[in-house]
Each structure stands twice: as structure tokens, then as C-alpha cells.
Amino acid sequence: MSLNPTPPRSPYLAPLRAFTAGFVDTTGFIALFGLFTAHVTGNFVLIGASLAEFHDGIIAKLLALPVFIIVVAAAHLYVIRQQRRERDAAGVLMIAECVFLAAFMAAGLAASPFLDADAPVTIATGMLAVTAMAVQNAGARSVFATLSPTTVMTGNVTQIVIDLVDLALSPSKAAEVKPRLKKMIPAVLTFTLGALGAALAYLAIGFWCLLIPIAAIIAGLVVLRRR
């Protein structure tokens, strides 16, 4: 039995989720001393860089991976439980992500401006964002596995370039390549839009900007309900 009895197929879901990931990852990076919340392994680069030159926020970056792992494991256990009951877990995962994003926003509004990267309130706020993105990552590997990846774009960009080269050299591959391009390109574009939009919105309105990705998740829930 599939992890998701009725896999989502809407063309709007992946772009909305990619936009959310790009927006939240950029907001966390700007507001929380360079913390990656969606692409948590990126924190290892910053931890390594701190060995050569001191960087703030090492504790949060060290905690991000274990928190991410625990949340992904919990989310997947929930998906398995729903699978055994022949129920769809997609909607609940999206609601959970929305709740943690709202908590991230509330904590940011209450505690900002953050002056100490290693203060408990700064770390706790960052872990709320990591939790939200861990839920999205878990969903991407289970109930949303039929969609384009939405949190880490390196693989998508690599595949797009390979497909474009194959399409240019072998037009006969169009039937195989074009559907994949149609699935991946919107996610890359909306992730980029989310990242750029987050930078501008955070500078303008601070943590209130997180209302935008929260709205994107709610829009995704509407799309999911109507599928």
C-alpha cells in the first residue's frame, strides 16, 4: 500500500510548498544569525567555517540537525499510522507545518530584535522554524513523493539542466523529458521567488512577513481539499 492512498497531483501544490520553503529558509537565515531551517545540512558549512573564523549561533546550528531528525521521525511514524488505518496524512502534516510556522512568527515578534545568537530564546525560536521545515521535508518523502522536491533545489536544478541538454541533443526524448521539466521548473522558480520575497518582506515588516508563507500553506490546503 502507498504511504498516501490518494497521492496529490495538483500542479499548484509543489510551487506553493517550494515558495514556503524558500521564504522560511531565507527568513531564518536573515533573522537568526545565518540559521538554515529547511536546508539544515547547510548549517554544517557554517559550523566548519567557525573553526577558521568565529561565527555567532553555533549552538542553534548544532541543535538543528537532531531536532530535524526527531521531527522527521515523528512525522513519518504518524504517516505510517495513518497508512495502516487507510487514512490520508497530507492535510494534517500541512496543518502541523502551519501551526509551527505561526509559532515561529509569534516567537519572533515577541523576542525580536535578537541580539544574542546563543540566547535560549533565539535558539528556541529557530527550532520552531526547523520543526516546521522538518514536517515539510518528511511530507516531501512520503505523502507528497509524487511532487517535485520543494525544499532543496540543487537536485532540481541539476535535473533540469540535464533534461534540457538531452532535449536539445535528442528531441525524441521529449515525451520523457518535458513532463519532468514541467514539474520541476515551477518549484525552482517559486522557491527563488520565496527567497527573494522573504528578504524584502523581512526588511519591511519583520516577522510579520511569515504571514505570507502561512497563507501559501493555507492555499495548499484548499488545493488539497479540492483535489
Side-chain angles (χ1 to χ4, degrees):
M1 183 184 296
S2 169
L3 283 179
N4 186 8
T6 54
R9 298 185 184 276
S10 170
Y12 303 109
L13 270 176
L16 286 168
R17 291 170 63 76
F19 175 86
T20 299
F23 201 107
V24 175
D25 214 18
T26 302
T27 302
F29 190 87
I30 295 172
L32 300 173
F33 304 91
L35 176 67
F36 286 108
T37 57
H39 186 199
V40 291
T41 52
N43 292 313
F44 291 160
V45 175
L46 300 177
I47 293 170
S50 70
L51 297 177
E53 182 180 353
F54 177 75
H55 289 75
D56 290 335
I58 297 303
I59 296 175
K61 294 175 180 67
L62 286 170
L63 285 176
L65 186 62
V67 169
F68 186 88
I69 290 171
I70 291 169
V71 175
V72 168
H76 191 61
L77 286 171
Y78 172 76
V79 170
I80 292 173
R81 181 181 178 185
Q82 292 300 90
Q83 170 199 7
R84 291 172 177 169
R85 297 179 177 183
E86 298 186 2
R87 295 177 181 174
D88 192 352
V92 173
L93 289 185
M94 292 182 72
I95 291 171
E97 181 180 354
C98 193
V99 168
F100 281 109
L101 269 188
F104 174 40
M105 183 182 73
L109 289 170
S112 62
F114 294 99
L115 302 177
D116 182 359
D118 294 318
V121 68
T122 306
I123 296 169
T125 301
M127 294 310 102
L128 288 171
V130 169
T131 298
M133 291 297 96
V135 172
Q136 177 161 330
N137 273 278
R141 293 291 182 171
S142 54
V143 293
F144 295 108
T146 58
L147 304 179
S148 169
T150 58
T151 54
V152 180
M153 292 296 113
T154 306
N156 285 0
V157 173
T158 302
Q159 188 62 56
I160 287 170
V161 173
I162 289 172
D163 284 343
L164 288 174
V165 172
D166 286 345
L167 189 60
L169 295 178
S170 305
S172 60
K173 293 184 177 181
E176 172 190 351
V177 169
K178 285 185 176 180
R180 191 159 56 231
L181 288 172
K182 186 177 180 181
K183 182 170 71 170
M184 289 187 170
I185 288 176
V188 172
L189 293 177
T190 53
F191 184 95
T192 304
L193 179 63
L196 295 174
L200 297 174
Y202 181 78
L203 289 175
I205 57 176
F207 276 92
W208 286 111
C209 72
L210 290 168
L211 287 172
I212 299 172
I214 289 172
I217 296 174
I218 293 171
L221 279 167
V222 172
V223 169
L224 195 68
R225 188 172 181 83
R226 290 180 176 179
R227 70 185 181 186

